[in-house]
Amino acid sequence: MTDFGTDWRVVDGVATAWFDAPSLVAGAALAGRIVELSAQSVVDLRATGLRVRLDAAEHAEAVSAAARDLELAADPAVLQQLSVVLESANPSAVRPFWQRVLDYGPGEDGVLVDRLRRDPALRIRQSTEPRPLRNRIHLDVVRPAAAVEQASPGEASGPYGVCHADPDGNEVDLVPGATLGEGTGTADWQAVFSAMACYRVTSPMQQRELAAAAAALAEDTGFPLMVDLRPGLVIIDSGKDQWEADAHGLELDFTDLAGELQTAARELGATADPGLPRFVQLFLDAADVAAVRAFWVAALGYAEDRRAGASDIHDPRRLTPVLVFQELDASETERRRQRNRIHVELAVPPDLVQSRLAATVAAGGRLVDESEGRRRIADPEGNELVIVSGA
């Protein structure tokens, strides 16, 4: 699975490429060709291009040829995949909790994976190291209110009444979403920190037509819509907070665009699945938020949130999870010294490992250890990132 052209790299075991595109419409043209070539491929359409993850590397050359025909160039240097690693003395005890909370399915070697292949995999690994204090890293998960109720992970705590802990004490804020707006014109949509609608489709042609219609409607307004194509599914997503006026800065009420997108989807015969929307982000506690955030910006190639007062950082292509930073009391010295039970793992192509490692060290990181294909780095306060070769 290595000889499939210069456009492609193996990232987290999957043949992957990113093609720059000047617009959503231009990217949708390539996305449409890809799903006709291979209905099982995964396509993430963005305003600046699209990422393609193939079910079979045999389609790589045909996809590259279609991109060249549309004058879209590949950029392998931006490829990466982020996952979350949880270390536990008893993985079999914590795994059911996270499977319910995330609505993930089982993957190889005990990994929990998003069935929609959008949100980060959760890798649960054996560890005997005692770490009794609270992590400085936790997850936020937002799902439709009915899905949160069905997950029923136990009694919640915390200031907002949404914090749950697994048997080891690893925390997640499981937040119920809500419908977007009050009218039937946006009934297909859920507000789950982002505004999202998931449509079932019955053919690659229907999928292609819905992606093209969504791209055209969004481009008319200048809105950087996210359109993800999965087997039998089209996911239309605003991105975190982007449907709010202070985030996108456009002369646009997003609910108007959502209504137009809903009308287009229904006219094409697509059927909304309101239980599917999900949003996942990572929270990091830090005594020196500025220093820790600067490390993660460099390590992940992220950008800072444009809104005043927001501590978020995000993938500029909006392909990997948002990270949010909140201030930790510097007097909690024991908690700051304890290794987290949760850390981040970043898969990049083999030819990019050294440059990414150099960027993390230059941003205040410390190389803790390395082995074949793995480099473990600590940020200025000891939160860990493991850079792995994509192969």
Side-chain angles (χ1 to χ4, degrees), residues 16-39:
T16 307
W18 168 269
F19 296 95
D20 289 323
S23 67
L24 273 167
V25 169
L30 177 56
R33 295 198 188 186
I34 293 168
V35 297
E36 291 287 354
L37 280 167
S38 171

Side-chain angles (χ1 to χ4, degrees), residues 7 9 11 16-21 46 48-52 73-82 299-302 315-320 346-349 351-352 355-356:
D7 294 347
R9 299 291 187 275
V11 181
T16 307
W18 168 269
F19 296 95
D20 289 323
R46 302 292 183 263
T48 57
L50 65 164
R51 181 177 65 176
V52 186
D75 184 1
V78 305
L79 297 176
Q80 61 182 28
Q81 185 72 14
L82 187 148
L300 302 179
Y302 273 23
D315 177 0
R317 294 164 189 82
R318 299 192 182 275
L319 296 168
T320 49
L346 183 71
V348 298
D351 53 333
L352 299 178
S355 60
R356 190 60 64 94

Side-chain angles (χ1 to χ4, degrees), residues 49 69 88 94 146 206 232 246 294 300 303 306-307 332-333 358:
D69 186 49
S88 172
V94 303
Q206 190 183 44
D246 65 339
L300 302 179
R306 65 185 292 274
R307 293 168 299 156
E332 294 189 51
T333 54

Side-chain angles (χ1 to χ4, degrees), residues 66-298:
R68 289 192 297 271
D69 186 49
L70 294 168
E71 299 183 342
L72 304 183
D75 184 1
V78 305
L79 297 176
Q80 61 182 28
Q81 185 72 14
L82 187 148
S83 59
V84 176
V85 179
L86 187 156
E87 298 178 5
S88 172
N90 190 356
S92 62
V94 303
R95 188 173 289 112
F97 171 91
W98 289 100
Q99 192 163 354
R100 287 198 310 275
V101 164
L102 292 163
D103 189 31
Y104 276 17
E108 296 180 1
D109 300 323
V111 177
L112 297 179
V113 294
D114 175 13
R115 295 179 178 91
L116 303 183
R117 288 178 279 180
R118 300 184 83 232
D119 292 320
L122 181 64
R123 307 177 189 277
I124 302 175
R125 294 179 179 149
Q126 184 80 39
S127 173
T128 58
E129 182 181 346
R131 282 168 275 185
L133 303 178
R134 286 182 63 208
N135 285 327
R136 285 161 287 135
I137 299 177
H138 77 265
L139 274 70
D140 271 8
V141 178
V142 192
R143 297 175 61 195
V148 169
E149 184 176 357
Q150 186 176 6
S152 60
E155 189 170 347
S157 63
Y160 302 105
V162 295
C163 182
H164 299 268
D166 73 11
D168 281 356
N170 303 296
E171 293 178 344
V172 58
D173 281 359
L174 181 58
V175 182
T179 55
L180 181 69
E182 298 178 354
T184 58
T186 56
D188 295 349
W189 289 79
Q190 287 280 319
V192 286
F193 285 11
S194 61
M196 194 182 306
C198 300
Y199 288 100
R200 300 286 185 183
V201 293
T202 57
S203 68
M205 179 179 293
Q206 190 183 44
Q207 187 178 47
R208 182 190 66 199
E209 290 178 350
L210 179 50
L217 287 168
E219 193 161 304
D220 284 346
T221 67
F223 188 84
L225 195 68
M226 300 160 56
V227 183
D228 291 349
L229 309 183
R230 302 296 186 264
L233 191 67
V234 176
I235 303 163
I236 306 175
D237 189 351
S238 70
K240 184 188 177 184
D241 297 338
Q242 295 302 298
W243 62 280
E244 298 177 352
D246 65 339
H248 59 62
L250 300 169
E251 294 296 324
L252 167 71
D253 182 340
F254 184 81
T255 57
D256 293 338
L257 175 58
E260 293 177 0
L261 291 162
Q262 175 173 302
T263 298
R266 291 185 176 191
E267 287 178 349
L268 288 167
T271 304
D273 189 333
L276 289 182
R278 186 205 304 110
F279 175 85
V280 177
Q281 67 181 4
L282 284 168
F283 257 83
L284 278 74
D285 296 345
D288 187 342
V289 169
V292 173
R293 184 170 56 209
F295 167 88
W296 289 95
V297 165

